[in-house]
Amino acid sequence: LQLFDSRLRFGGEYQISDELALRAGLDQVRASQTGGVKPSAGFMIEYPVGNILANIEYAIVLEPFATGTINLVTLRIFL
């Protein structure tokens, strides 16, 4: 039984325009037991709706403990 597992994650974001940013990263850089480095990628779209600012974010990540991918979608609303 292992209660503590340390991993290193890092990534970056490139702002293409005021409304669009691309993202990429690496996960589990030191986790050799779980298949090694797992890349991820995504984007963020910023869209004003009246006085409200909305961000739609999407990311695709390799499943950390199995084969396949995870698709993440986030909607952030700034009042």
Side-chain angles (χ1 to χ4, degrees):
L1 176 65
Q2 184 177 356
L3 298 177
F4 181 77
D5 184 23
S6 63
R7 288 186 239 167
L8 177 63
R9 297 177 176 164
F10 67 94
E13 178 178 280
Y14 179 71
Q15 191 82 30
I16 293 179
S17 67
D18 289 339
E19 298 85 19
L20 178 64
L22 297 179
R23 297 175 176 165
L26 296 174
D27 187 11
Q28 300 185 14
V29 174
R30 287 188 52 216
S32 60
Q33 303 92 339
T34 58
V37 175
K38 305 284 186 182
S40 62
F43 63 87
M44 184 270 303
I45 298 173
E46 188 173 88
Y47 187 76
V49 181
N51 293 334
I52 298 172
L53 183 63
N55 284 1
I56 298 171
E57 301 176 12
Y58 171 78
I60 186 165
V61 181
L62 291 179
E63 176 69 45
F65 303 109
T67 58
T69 58
I70 300 172
N71 293 279
L72 305 166
V73 178
T74 305
L75 172 63
R76 295 182 356 170
I77 298 174
F78 300 93
L79 302 175

